[in-house]
Amino acid sequence: MQKGLALLLTIYIVTCVDPSMVQLSTEKIDELSQSNLGRFIIEMAQTHAEMRGPLDDLVTAIGDLENELTVELQQLEDDFTRSTNQHQITQENLDINIGQTEINIFNQKDFIDAILLPSIDQTNQKIDRLNGFMNDNRDSLSRETLSRQNQHQAYLDRVSEHQGAISAVDEALQLINSLINGNIAFTEKATIHQAVKRVNNKIAKTSTIHPVIEALLQLTQNFSDQGQAKKIRDLLQDTRNQLVASLNQENADEQQIEETWTQRQKTLNTEYQEFKRSLLEATYVLAAYQNKLKSTQEALAQNELDLQNYNESLQQDKDAQAQETQIYNELKAQYQIQLQTTRNAKDFVNSAEFSTVIRNKLNQGGLV
């Protein structure tokens, strides 16, 4: 009650009395008495005056109010200081988080643009090249296999040609030997010409011994003595030797070609397996890059969301601090006004003029 009365008295004294005045005018008391609350305060003052005692309780109440206001103002300032410190810590932590997150975002974008995407593109190009190499390799194998099959068939045809020619030469040799040995007469020389003719049919015109066969055809067409018969036999024997040598060379060449072709197949298949291994490796690397890109993009999205939340939290904390500062300033101003008012009222109530004016008013019939 004392605190309330003192506060009300203080407010109304400040409202009705200029603090610069050294005397309380009768007009101010009359003005104070125009309100119910003012009359209540004056009556309280009158009660004290009628008891002929000092207004100690009123002075004490005002002093208590001053102390309470001082404590509350200090508490307000302490709370504001703690709150400000907490906001500072919060904002500093948010600034650190924002800075680190911005660095993370920059690094992740740079990692994606400078490393992952170019690496994925390069790996895809490598995979395309390897697929091309593998297709070319198989095409080469198929093409060369067909060529080798045709080459081998041509070899078989030449072997058959040589074997047929050798068989025909052997037949001609047998006939010419029979003629020389007297087993057949010169009148049967036509059979020898026919045998040489079969040899000619067996030998291709591109063969190196073809001119010899042509010469034998001329000789066997019209010969009449042993000397010519022996010359024909010698030519036939030489022809046979050449045919056998040519056949042996064909076989040797075919063996070498087959060895070369076997090595070529091995090389092509080895290259294919190497391309296949490289393709599997590149496919694995591509999958790793793609997984890394996905995880980095997810981390980037999370960091961007975190950055947005950090900025929003920072702004919210700043807004909250601004609101708290405004409330603090308003409350502090009110406390300071109340303190100054209380101190002015305490000084005024303790003055001789206050007591004199009230007692004179009482002697004139009361304050009201």
Side-chain angles (χ1 to χ4, degrees):
M1 176 65 74
Q2 289 179 347
K3 178 179 176 182
L5 292 174
L7 178 58
L8 292 173
L9 177 60
T10 301
I11 294 172
Y12 276 93
I13 287 174
V14 173
T15 303
C16 302
V17 181
D18 186 349
S20 65
M21 295 176 60
V22 296
Q23 294 182 344
L24 181 62
S25 66
T26 303
E27 290 78 7
K28 292 297 182 181
I29 294 179
D30 291 339
E31 182 179 349
L32 185 62
S33 65
Q34 296 302 312
S35 67
N36 293 331
L37 184 57
R39 286 195 298 273
F40 178 74
I41 295 173
I42 293 172
E43 288 174 358
M44 289 296 298
Q46 181 176 350
T47 300
H48 284 284
E50 289 174 349
M51 294 175 64
R52 304 303 181 187
L55 299 175
D56 292 338
D57 55 346
L58 188 58
V59 173
T60 301
I62 294 175
D64 291 342
L65 177 60
E66 179 184 12
N67 293 334
E68 291 181 12
L69 288 173
T70 300
V71 171
E72 290 177 4
L73 177 59
Q74 185 61 50
Q75 184 63 45
L76 175 66
E77 292 179 344
D78 292 343
D79 291 343
F80 179 72
T81 299
R82 284 192 296 271
S83 177
T84 299
N85 291 338
Q86 184 58 50
H87 281 298
Q88 183 177 359
I89 293 173
T90 299
Q91 292 173 20
E92 287 177 353
N93 290 335
L94 287 171
D95 284 334
I96 292 173
N97 290 338
I98 288 172
Q100 185 59 55
T101 304
E102 288 176 341
I103 293 174
N104 292 340
I105 290 174
F106 175 83
N107 290 337
Q108 287 165 341
K109 287 183 176 179
D110 184 66
F111 183 53
I112 289 173
D113 296 336
I115 297 178
L116 290 179
L117 291 180
S119 297
I120 289 174
D121 184 58
Q122 292 171 4
T123 306
N124 278 323
Q125 293 177 9
K126 182 177 181 181
I127 289 174
D128 290 340
R129 288 195 302 272
L130 288 170
N131 281 322
F133 293 156
M134 292 174 68
N135 291 334
D136 291 343
N137 179 279
R138 295 297 90 179
D139 288 343
S140 295
L141 180 61
S142 297
R143 184 174 59 253
E144 293 180 26
T145 298
L146 178 61
S147 176
R148 173 59 187 144
Q149 289 173 348
N150 293 334
Q151 186 183 45
H152 182 67
Q153 185 59 49
Y155 156 74
L156 294 177
D157 292 342
R158 290 193 302 274
V159 168
S160 177
E161 176 185 290
H162 277 72
Q163 289 174 342
I166 290 172
S167 177
V169 168
D170 287 341
E171 182 183 352
L173 280 171
Q174 183 179 2
L175 289 173
I176 197 68
N177 284 327
S178 295
L179 180 65
I180 292 172
N181 294 331
N183 294 328
I184 61 174
F186 272 91
T187 56
E188 298 181 27
K189 62 183 180 180
T191 58
I192 298 174
H193 180 71
Q194 292 298 323
V196 173
K197 198 172 183 179
R198 285 195 295 273
V199 174
N200 183 61
N201 292 334
K202 294 291 185 180
I203 298 298
K205 291 183 178 181
T206 57
S207 174
T208 57
I209 65 172
H210 187 264
V212 177
I213 302 302
E214 289 286 343
L216 278 171
L217 279 174
Q218 295 296 325
L219 287 173
T220 56
Q221 187 173 4
N222 188 18
F223 67 96
S224 59
D225 56 38
Q226 289 287 339
Q228 288 179 328
K230 290 179 180 180
K231 185 177 180 180
I232 291 172
R233 184 188 61 186
D234 292 341
L235 286 173
L236 284 172
Q237 187 61 50
D238 185 61
T239 298
R240 188 181 191 285
N241 293 338
Q242 291 187 51
L243 285 170
V244 171
S246 178
L247 178 60
N248 290 337
Q249 187 62 47
E250 287 286 351
N251 291 331
D253 290 345
E254 175 64 15
Q255 183 178 359
Q256 182 62 45
I257 291 172
E258 182 63 23
E259 290 176 359
T260 301
W261 169 237
T262 300
Q263 184 60 41
R264 175 60 175 164
Q265 284 180 302
K266 182 179 180 181
T267 299
L268 288 173
N269 288 329
T270 300
E271 288 179 352
Y272 181 80
Q273 292 301 321
E274 180 62 25
F275 291 147
K276 186 175 181 180
R277 185 195 64 78
S278 297
L279 178 62
L280 291 174
E281 179 181 324
T283 303
Y284 173 81
V285 171
L286 178 63
Y289 279 136
Q290 289 173 335
N291 289 335
K292 188 63 177 178
L293 175 62
K294 180 180 179 182
S295 63
T296 303
Q297 287 174 332
E298 290 174 351
L300 174 61
Q302 184 60 52
N303 276 325
E304 289 175 337
L305 179 60
D306 290 342
L307 180 61
Q308 179 182 350
N309 292 334
Y310 289 146
N311 283 321
E312 290 177 354
S313 297
L314 180 61
Q315 188 59 49
Q316 290 171 358
D317 194 78
K318 287 181 177 179
D319 292 342
Q321 184 181 16
Q323 185 177 10
E324 291 174 7
T325 301
Q326 180 181 357
I327 294 173
Y328 162 76
N329 289 331
E330 291 175 355
L331 288 175
K332 182 177 180 180
Q334 293 176 10
Y335 273 114
Q336 288 174 336
I337 292 172
Q338 291 176 5
L339 270 173
Q340 187 60 46
T341 301
T342 302
R343 288 164 183 163
N344 291 340
K346 183 175 69 173
D347 292 341
F348 182 71
V349 170
N350 284 327
S351 68
E353 290 80 2
F354 181 80
S355 179
T356 300
V357 170
I358 290 179
R359 292 186 183 278
N360 288 338
K361 207 57 170 161
L362 287 172
N363 291 332
Q364 295 173 6
L367 293 174
V368 183

